[in-house]
Amino acid sequence: MFGFIIRRTLAVIPTLLGVTIVVFFMLAITPGDPAELLLGERATQESLDAMREYLGLKKPLYIQYGMFLKRVVQFDLGETIWSRQKVSIEIKERFPATIELALVAMVISSFFGVLFGIISATKQYSWFDYVSMVGSLIGVSMPVFWLGLIFMLLFSLTLGWFPMSGRIGIDTNLQVITNFYIIDAIITRNWPALMDCLRHIALPALALSTIPLAIVSRMTRSSMLEVLRQDYIKTAKAKGLGQMKIIFKHALRNGLIPVITVIGLQFGILLGGAILTETVFAWPGVGKWLYEGVVKRDYMVIQGGTLLVATSFVIVNLLVDILYAVINPRISVK
Amino acid sequence: MLERPLLEMRNLKTYFKVRGNILKAVDDVSFTLAPGETLGLVGESGCGKSVTAATIMGLIPIPPGMIAGGEIYFNGVDLLKLPESRMRKIRGCDISMIFQEPMTSLNPVFTVGDQVGEVIELHEKLSRSEIRRRIIDAFRLVGIPAPEKRLDDYPHQMSGGMRQRVMIAMALACNPRMMIADEPTTALDVTIQAQILELMNDLKRKTGTAILFITHDLGVIAEMAQKVAVMYAGKVMELATAADLYTEPKHPYTVGLLSSIPVLGKTSKKQRLSTIRGVVPSLFSLPPGCLFSDRCPETREICQNEDPPMTTLADKRLVRCFNYA
C-alpha cells in the first residue's frame, strides 16, 4: 500500500512538468515582446530591460524555460500587470475562499448524491426513483449562473433568508488566521461570525452543488444497481444480514468505487474556481480573479491561475487514486 | 426413515409474475430431509432447483415472485410463515448456503476472514479474539493451509478451490443443522471438484449437517446423496434413494438422463451418445398434460391431456408418470 502511494505520487511529476511547459509556452508564443506585453505600452526603458533580464529573454528558449521552472518551484509567479501585486500573494488570499466553497459544495453534493442514488437503486422504479432521476436531469441541464440568479431572487431578495453576495458581512468581525473563514471562526470560537459565514456560503454552495449532485446521484444509482445484482450480495443475504448492513456495508463499498472517481473529477473542476458562480455571487475566489484576469488580459494572472488550477486538479486526482486503493484492495496489488 | 424430518416441504409453489404471465418455476414440490441426510436435487438448467433453494432461504424477491402455496417445515416451524426478522436469524445460522460461483460469491473488498467472521459475529455473541479463533478453526476444518495467515487475504488472492473452501467454512461457521449447496462444484475444474466433494462428505460425517445438494451433474449426486429428487420444468418427476434411482430408474425422463451419461470403456467411440429428443419447454408455454409428454418416448394419449399424479411405488419411491399410476 505504502509502495503504491509512493509510485503514484512520483507519477504526478511528469504531468506537472507538462503543465509548466504548456503554461510557459503560452507566453512565449504570444506575438510581440513578452516584456512589453507584461509591462504595458508606457513602460520605461529601464523597467523593460529589467523585465527582459528577469525573464531571460536574450537566452535560448530552453534556458528561459529552466529559469521559469526555477521561479515556479520557488512560488515566484511574478507580479500581476493590473494591480502590481505578487501573484503568489493574490493566490494565497483567494484560493482558500475557492477551496472553502468547493468543499462545502462537494460535501452537499456527495452526501445527498450518494444518498439519493442509494435510495433510487434500492427502490428502483419507485416514485422516489423517478422524482430524483428527473430532478437530477434538470440539475445537470440547469445553467449555474441562471440558477444562482434565481436563488438570489428567491432566497435573498424575496424571502431574505440569506445574504445576496460576498463571503462575510462587512460589519462582522473575524480574526483571519488560515483564510478559511469557517475554520477561522471555529478556531476563535466566534460563533456569530461562523453563522454569518455559513449564511454567506449557503447560496453559492447550493448553486454550485447542483450539477455534481445530479451526476453523483445518477452514478451512484447505476453503480449500486449493478452491485446489488452481484453474487456476493446473495451471499450476504444468505448469511442472515439485515437489509441496511447489506446495502451500507457490502454493496456501498463496492458501489462507491466508480462514484469516487466522479466526485474527484467534479471536485477538481470546482477547485479550478467556479468562475460563473463566484462571479454571480461576488465570491472572492480564484475563479472570479481568473475571470477578471482574462477580461483585463493580465498574462501573469492567467499564467499563475492556470498553474494553480492544473496543479490542484492533478493533486485531487492523486488523492482519488489513493482513496481508490484504500477502498478497493485489488488496485494496490497491480 | 423413521426419524422426524429436519425439513419437510409440502406442495411448494413458487411462481413469478413476468409481463402479465405467471411462470410456475416451482410447482407442487414435496420432499423431506432427515437430520444428517443428503438429498440431491437434479435437473436441467431452469427446472426450478435454485428457486426451490431460494424459497427455503426466504430469498425470493416478492414481487415479481410469489409463494402460491405449500409449506416448508424446518424443525417443525413453517418457514414461509415466519416474519423476516426471525427468518434472518435462521439464515446463515440454522440453514446456510453455498453457491455455484466461488469467484464472485465473496465480496472483493473485504478479507475472507472478515467475511467468515461476520456470520459468527451476527449469530453468536463472542469477543473478537474468540471470533478469530473460530474463523481459524473453520478454515482448518475445510483444509485451508496456514489459516492464521490466509484469513487476512482478500478473495482475489485465492484460487477458485480455496475460495469455495472459504464459502464452505462460512456456511459451517455456526454449525448449521442444514446446508444448501447450490451447484458448489460446477464452476471448478475436475480435480478441485473431487477435492471439494470429498471435503463435503468428510464434513458431513464430522458435523452431521443435513445437505440439500443441487446439481445438474448426475455423477456428482451419485457420490454425495442418499436420496435423489429429479426435477423437470418445476416439478419433481421421480424421488428415490440414490441406489434405486441409478440401478433402476423408473420415470422415462430419469431413464433418458442416465442413459445420456457416457460410460468409460463401455461406450465405444463409434457409438453415438443417447440423448433426450427436443428441448426443455419454456415456462412461458408449457405443454398441457404431462410436462415431459412432448419429449417422452413412451408418450400416450392420456399424457398429452392430463397431468399425471405422483404415485408411490412398492419400494417407496415416488414417480410422476402414467406408466405407474
Side-chain angles (χ1 to χ4, degrees):
Chain A
M1 185 68 186
F2 189 66
F4 170 80
I5 294 175
I6 299 282
R7 260 179 291 144
R8 188 62 193 79
T9 310
L10 290 178
V12 161
I13 295 170
T15 319
L16 289 178
L17 277 179
V19 171
T20 57
I21 291 176
V22 172
V23 170
F24 170 72
F25 277 98
M26 202 164 68
L27 190 63
I29 61 171
T30 312
D33 182 358
E36 261 176 48
L37 203 65
L38 295 182
L39 296 176
E41 288 162 13
R42 274 177 251 166
T44 61
Q45 191 59 43
E46 291 116 66
S47 59
L48 278 175
D49 287 340
M51 181 52 91
R52 285 186 188 120
E53 190 61 34
Y54 173 74
L55 294 174
L57 288 185
K58 285 174 186 149
K59 300 195 174 100
L61 211 55
Y62 65 92
I63 296 198
Q64 284 183 39
Y65 171 68
M67 292 168 71
F68 169 74
L69 207 57
K70 196 175 156 202
R71 291 198 302 272
V72 168
V73 172
Q74 294 165 340
F75 295 108
D76 173 11
L77 298 170
E79 287 177 356
T80 67
I81 298 170
W82 202 256
S83 62
R84 291 281 157 226
Q85 263 265 29
K86 273 195 176 300
V87 172
S88 51
I89 289 178
E90 296 234 318
I91 286 178
K92 214 172 111 193
E93 275 170 9
R94 288 156 200 278
F95 200 37
T98 294
I99 297 180
E100 201 169 72
L101 180 59
L103 266 179
V104 174
M106 277 327 286
V107 168
I108 295 174
S109 54
S110 306
F111 180 78
F112 288 103
V114 169
L115 187 70
F116 292 168
I118 292 172
I119 300 175
S120 290
T122 48
K123 306 231 179 294
Q124 197 186 3
Y125 305 133
S126 64
W127 66 266
F128 183 93
D129 185 26
Y130 285 119
V131 169
S132 82
M133 285 308 110
V134 170
S136 69
L137 192 68
I138 295 171
V140 167
S141 357
M142 197 105 69
V144 69
F145 61 88
W146 179 83
L147 192 69
L149 291 173
I150 295 295
F151 277 1
M152 281 163 121
L153 193 67
L154 185 65
F155 296 112
S156 300
L157 289 175
T158 312
L159 296 170
W161 291 351
F162 298 102
M164 277 259 289
S165 62
R167 217 180 149 194
I168 191 162
I170 333 166
D171 43 3
T172 306
N173 290 314
L174 176 67
Q175 188 195 348
V176 177
I177 303 165
T178 59
N179 249 329
F180 293 93
Y181 286 0
I182 293 179
I183 294 176
D184 289 343
I186 293 172
I187 293 174
T188 56
R189 291 166 190 271
N190 189 345
W191 309 128
L194 179 68
M195 275 314 291
D196 191 48
C197 288
L198 290 177
R199 273 163 46 87
H200 273 85
I201 207 168
L203 288 187
L206 214 56
L208 202 55
S209 68
T210 47
I211 291 177
L213 193 149
I215 296 174
V216 168
S217 71
R218 291 204 144 227
M219 192 73 208
T220 307
R221 177 182 183 266
S222 67
S223 170
M224 285 295 281
L225 280 175
E226 173 76 32
V227 168
L228 288 172
R229 273 195 290 269
Q230 298 294 319
D231 287 344
Y232 52 79
I233 297 299
K234 208 164 58 176
T235 308
K237 280 182 195 155
K239 275 180 183 178
L241 290 174
Q243 176 81 349
M244 281 296 159
K245 200 138 193 202
I246 291 172
I247 292 169
F248 286 97
K249 185 177 173 194
H250 285 265
L252 190 59
R253 183 118 179 232
N254 286 283
L256 272 187
I257 293 169
V259 177
I260 281 177
T261 321
V262 173
I263 290 178
L265 284 174
Q266 290 298 320
F267 186 53
I269 293 171
L270 294 194
L271 273 190
I275 295 181
L276 291 172
T277 312
E278 287 187 3
T279 309
V280 168
F281 287 97
W283 189 261
V286 284
K288 184 161 166 283
W289 176 68
L290 198 53
Y291 162 76
E292 282 162 6
V294 172
V295 170
K296 294 173 188 161
R297 305 251 246 141
D298 192 325
Y299 276 88
M300 296 316 269
V301 170
I302 297 172
Q303 197 180 60
T306 312
L307 270 177
L308 178 74
V309 170
T311 311
S312 19
F313 210 92
V314 169
I315 289 172
V316 167
N317 267 301
L318 171 70
L319 293 180
V320 167
D321 274 6
I322 292 171
L323 196 60
Y324 226 77
V326 172
I327 292 192
N328 188 355
R330 281 166 299 181
I331 286 184
S332 52
V333 176
K334 283 171 203 153
Chain B
M1 301 284 161
L2 291 171
E3 237 175 320
R4 184 164 148 236
L6 177 66
L7 183 93
E8 185 176 4
M9 185 179 285
R10 288 189 204 150
N11 314 93
L12 179 72
K13 294 175 179 169
T14 307
Y15 296 169
F16 288 90
K17 207 169 182 178
V18 181
R19 278 175 263 124
N21 294 313
I22 301 272
L23 296 191
K24 299 178 174 179
V26 172
D27 196 14
D28 204 12
V29 168
S30 307
F31 57 74
T32 60
L33 183 64
E37 190 182 37
T38 300
L39 171 70
L41 205 54
V42 285
E44 293 164 85
S45 306
C47 70
K49 306 178 301 252
S50 296
V51 174
T52 307
T55 311
I56 298 172
M57 293 293 278
L59 294 178
I60 296 290
I62 297 172
M66 55 179 181
I67 311 295
E71 292 111 35
I72 304 174
Y73 286 100
F74 176 76
N75 231 0
V77 182
D78 188 355
L79 297 180
L80 297 176
K81 293 205 174 69
L82 282 185
E84 173 63 18
S85 58
R86 280 201 49 202
M87 198 58 216
R88 272 213 305 267
K89 293 207 172 72
I90 288 178
R91 266 182 229 140
C93 182
D94 295 314
I95 308 177
S96 62
M97 191 162 179
I98 54 180
F99 297 97
Q100 183 171 357
E101 277 290 343
M103 304 310 270
T104 54
S105 293
L106 288 167
N107 194 326
V109 301
F110 296 106
T111 64
V112 289
D114 274 348
Q115 299 188 52
V116 175
E118 196 177 26
V119 193
I120 304 169
E121 195 188 337
L122 190 69
H123 296 291
E124 294 172 42
K125 300 274 166 278
L126 292 175
S127 72
R128 284 185 86 93
S129 60
E130 280 173 311
I131 290 176
R132 198 179 159 85
R133 198 176 44 73
R134 283 278 296 273
I135 302 169
I136 293 173
D137 287 348
F139 275 22
R140 198 165 283 137
L141 191 69
V142 297
I144 294 174
E148 299 84 1
K149 287 193 190 115
R150 295 314 295 263
L151 62 77
D152 290 322
D153 278 0
Y154 286 97
H156 69 269
Q157 292 165 300
M158 291 186 148
S159 67
M162 277 299 150
R163 291 189 208 185
Q164 198 60 297
R165 282 173 197 262
V166 171
M167 287 298 292
I168 296 172
M170 191 189 291
L172 291 176
C174 289
N175 305 315
R177 316 226 8 218
M178 176 183 162
M179 182 162 90
I180 299 174
D182 190 355
E183 310 231 9
T185 57
T186 308
L188 302 171
D189 63 53
V190 184
T191 43
I192 307 295
Q193 198 170 41
Q195 287 173 16
I196 296 287
L197 291 179
E198 203 184 298
L199 172 71
M200 289 184 68
N201 263 331
D202 188 39
L203 291 175
K204 197 181 74 175
R205 271 194 301 275
K206 279 186 197 158
T207 60
T209 305
I211 301 178
L212 178 63
F213 198 101
I214 298 173
T215 182
H216 61 258
D217 189 333
L218 287 161
V220 167
I221 278 292
E223 284 180 50
M224 295 296 297
Q226 286 97 49
K227 268 195 319 192
V228 182
V230 178
M231 282 187 78
Y232 184 81
K235 283 188 190 240
V236 173
M237 289 299 174
E238 183 166 2
L239 188 110
T241 64
D244 285 350
L245 192 92
Y246 281 87
T247 48
E248 203 188 343
K250 296 281 191 201
H251 196 284
Y253 179 60
T254 322
V255 174
L257 281 181
L258 286 172
S259 63
S260 64
I261 301 174
V263 182
L264 196 66
K266 281 189 185 164
T267 314
S268 75
K269 277 183 186 170
K270 284 179 190 164
Q271 198 184 326
R272 289 189 131 251
L273 272 178
S274 144
T275 57
I276 303 172
R277 68 191 167 90
V279 288
V280 184
S282 155
L283 288 179
F284 280 104
S285 55
L286 289 173
C290 174
L291 299 175
F292 190 56
S293 59
D294 56 342
R295 301 175 74 191
C296 182
E298 297 167 46
T299 184
R300 290 175 287 159
E301 204 187 322
I302 187 171
C303 306
Q304 319 274 352
N305 301 318
E306 282 176 48
D307 193 12
M310 199 55 132
T311 315
T312 313
L313 302 188
D315 56 0
K316 282 191 179 165
R317 88 164 82 191
L318 298 169
V319 182
R320 194 186 287 276
C321 180
F322 282 115
N323 284 351
Y324 304 95

